Amino acid sequence: MDKLRMVGGSPLKGEVKIAGAKNAALPILCACLLTDEPIVLRNLPDLQDVRTMLKLLQEIGVEVIFPDQDDRNHVVLNAAVIKSSEATYEMVKTMRASILVLGPLLARMHSAKVSLPGGCAIGARPVDQHIKGLKAMGASIKIKGGYIQAETKPPTERLKGASILTDMITVTGTENLLMAATLASGTTTLENAAREPEVGDLAELLVKMGAKISGIGTDRLVIEGVEKLHGAEHSVIPDRIEAGTFLCAVAAVGGEVLIQDCRPDTLDAVMVKLKEAGLQMEVGSDWIKATMQTRPMAVSFRTSEYPAFPTDMQAQLMAVNAVASGSSTITETIFENRFMHVQELNRLGADIAIEGNTAIAQGVEKLSGATVMATDLRASASLVIAGLAAQGETQVDRIYHLDRGYDRMEQKLTRLGARIERIK
Ligand code: EPZ
């Protein structure tokens, strides 16, 4: 398993380009199942999770073409022929987002068999809301042998429009139901819908494909089902979490970095907190110039659904708090077990205690390098940030977690002057 080895202490300087958003790319790739015409995507991030999703789609029968072999950010998907409506346990266990084929397959093929995603490191993450919504749209769903077996009754029938209110705000739940509703007969209302920018990006593509959706960006989506969707072209929205991760790296390590090809308008809650921490930011339409010459100030925060502070940025801002002056409280309200980076940060000399779903961090002057272990995607990013801020050498093991959601992060950091290398 690959490791990252770094020596902390060098400020970050230079420019970094942000890739397309993983959490937009994954539902957007599944949207190709809704039509028998080609979907052309640009700004697709070249990540492990994207490669996994492309493999799953190919197993289902989707033709995946990279027009330019060297450009992995530009892909053409053609789901004219669906060979199988099944996402196997083997596929789903490596990536929970595989659940996003359920809605589109059910809408297009009137049947789908998708392995129930197991739990994951950060929480139980059930999919009961996805199932509840599809049942409301007329699907009959059985859970058998660890699989979700869904079909419309009779199989010739389309899904039917329905009024759905999810018990909690769910990002992929909203995306699954949104995609299913585009081909249902009648109108579907999704109340309590997720407002994350990645949901909006998916909706933009669906509209380009001929879907009739109103309320995009709000918590109430109204979808008027159509018979058929056609092909379209789309460029994936920049990844706000990757951009936020680099902002936290500058805040913790110091330096001056121009972050390009990003969407500052999707980062308000993160930028408010980092400004409080003392990060200076100049902002353009698609760039942020971040400068940090002093030790950060501790900032307390709690995670919540968009547009509030994102749970996917909690571990990264905690790494900043670990070396900040003052103490801070960090409350995680979305997942029940998303503090696994705390013990690893404490191995680097941080002083963080957990009380229920709140972590209390006493900032320390300096962290000192050690070997630590990544446990999940954003925890890995947090450990890289802390390692770059620490004195001496840090090694982060199991960085396959990092590779799921970041495209060659160590190369981008090296170009910014960080002393970091990958050990095969
Ligand atoms: C998406 O996961 C993201 N993944 C996650 O990003 C992100 O952390 C999460 O949204 C919250 O923003 C993708 O978009 C691929 P949820 P998702 O459904 O959709 C509970 C990363 O690091 N819930 O919004 O799975 C659930 O347990 C990843 O890139 C139910 O109880 O999250 C959680 O507590 C990690 N039943 C809360 O709702 C359901 O049917 C929010 O989950 C669905 C969700």
Side-chain angles (χ1 to χ4, degrees):
M1 282 189 267
D2 287 7
K3 303 177 169 60
L4 284 184
R5 182 166 58 197
M6 65 208 81
V7 176
S10 352
L12 300 174
K13 284 210 177 327
E15 301 176 357
V16 63
K17 286 190 183 315
I18 298 304
K22 166 178 85 81
N23 291 349
L26 295 174
I28 280 173
L29 288 169
C30 296
C32 79
L33 294 167
L34 291 165
T35 176
D36 56 5
E37 296 181 13
I39 298 287
V40 182
L41 297 179
R42 286 185 173 74
N43 204 33
L44 186 75
D46 184 14
L47 305 171
Q48 190 51 46
D49 272 10
V50 166
R51 291 188 284 272
T52 302
M53 184 62 87
L54 287 170
K55 222 162 108 230
L56 168 58
L57 292 172
Q58 284 174 311
E59 286 190 3
I60 290 173
V62 177
E63 196 188 5
V64 174
I65 301 155
F66 286 95
D68 169 356
Q69 269 315 323
D70 303 332
D71 179 358
R72 310 304 288 178
N73 308 123
H74 174 200
V75 74
V76 179
L77 304 166
N78 194 330
V81 176
I82 302 281
K83 277 193 321 235
S84 123
S85 301
E86 180 171 341
T88 64
Y89 175 66
E90 294 317 305
M91 289 309 308
V92 176
K93 77 178 181 189
T94 59
M95 187 184 60
R96 332 171 28 74
S98 314
I99 190 75
L100 285 164
V101 301
L102 178 61
L105 280 175
L106 198 48
R108 169 97 185 277
M109 305 304 290
H110 304 166
S111 87
K113 185 179 171 194
V114 177
S115 169
L116 255 185
C120 95
I122 62 177
R125 299 180 74 181
V127 290
D128 54 297
Q129 301 297 309
H130 302 233
I131 291 169
K132 176 181 137 182
L134 292 171
K135 278 183 176 166
M137 294 165 114
S140 95
I141 296 190
K142 281 199 304 293
I143 309 287
K144 223 166 118 210
Y147 278 83
I148 301 167
Q149 301 198 353
E151 55 192 10
T152 57
K153 283 274 183 237
T156 48
E157 279 276 294
R158 290 161 64 190
L159 289 170
K160 287 184 279 304
S163 279
I164 298 165
L165 183 142
T166 49
D167 300 353
M168 80 293 294
I169 294 171
T170 157
V171 173
T172 49
T174 302
E175 291 164 344
N176 239 334
L177 299 174
L178 170 61
M179 288 191 279
T182 58
L183 290 177
S185 58
T187 300
T188 298
T189 307
L190 296 183
E191 301 269 8
N192 206 17
R195 295 165 54 193
E196 272 67 7
E198 294 76 31
V199 179
D201 201 37
L202 167 66
E204 299 295 340
L205 167 61
L206 293 170
V207 166
K208 287 179 189 172
M209 292 167 68
K212 292 189 169 49
I213 305 169
S214 58
I216 295 175
T218 74
D219 63 357
R220 187 172 188 276
L221 295 171
V222 181
I223 306 103
E224 207 187 307
V226 294
E227 293 269 330
K228 216 169 138 19
L229 292 177
H230 50 73
E233 304 217 1
H234 187 73
S235 181
V236 176
I237 192 173
D239 194 322
R240 63 193 166 101
I241 306 301
E242 185 189 19
T245 302
F246 277 101
L247 286 173
C248 286
V250 178
V253 178
E256 182 173 291
V257 173
L258 178 61
I259 296 174
Q260 298 172 304
D261 300 346
C262 66
R263 281 281 303 272
D265 61 314
T266 61
L267 274 162
D268 286 351
V270 172
M271 287 164 65
V272 161
K273 284 297 164 190
L274 284 169
K275 195 163 169 8
E276 263 178 60
L279 185 70
Q280 290 153 22
M281 286 169 278
E282 246 181 280
V283 180
S285 59
D286 65 351
W287 56 268
I288 301 169
K289 185 165 186 191
T291 309
M292 190 71 167
Q293 252 110 24
T294 58
R295 181 180 174 198
M297 310 285 292
V299 280
S300 292
F301 64 97
R302 58 183 295 131
T303 64
S304 186
E305 292 86 357
Y306 195 86
F309 192 90
T311 173
D312 290 350
M313 281 300 307
Q314 177 255 106
Q316 297 91 310
L317 189 53
M318 186 187 285
V320 179
N321 276 338
V323 293
S325 56
S327 66
S328 54
T329 57
I330 297 156
T331 302
E332 171 58 57
T333 72
I334 305 290
F335 291 111
E336 63 272 26
N337 186 32
R338 204 173 195 173
F339 280 149
M340 281 172 299
H341 39 285
V342 168
Q343 294 321 328
E344 298 304 309
L345 289 170
N346 286 344
R347 281 181 51 76
L348 293 170
D351 176 3
I352 306 170
I354 299 175
E355 281 167 32
N357 68 342
T358 294
I360 297 115
Q362 309 292 343
V364 296
E365 283 277 340
K366 268 288 164 206
L367 296 174
S368 45
T371 298
V372 288
M373 190 173 75
T375 48
D376 58 87
L377 167 56
R378 305 304 172 181
S380 338
S382 168
L383 296 175
V384 170
I385 291 170
L388 291 176
Q391 263 165 347
E393 183 175 301
T394 292
Q395 185 169 296
V396 182
D397 292 351
R398 301 192 179 179
I399 55 143
Y400 59 85
H401 289 293
L402 189 77
D403 295 337
R404 298 191 46 173
Y406 292 95
D407 179 0
R408 288 174 292 259
M409 181 189 263
E410 78 279 2
Q411 289 181 16
K412 292 187 174 183
L413 287 167
T414 301
R415 278 203 291 278
L416 293 175
R419 292 169 62 191
I420 182 169
E421 62 178 345
R422 179 178 290 255
I423 309 165
K424 290 278 170 207

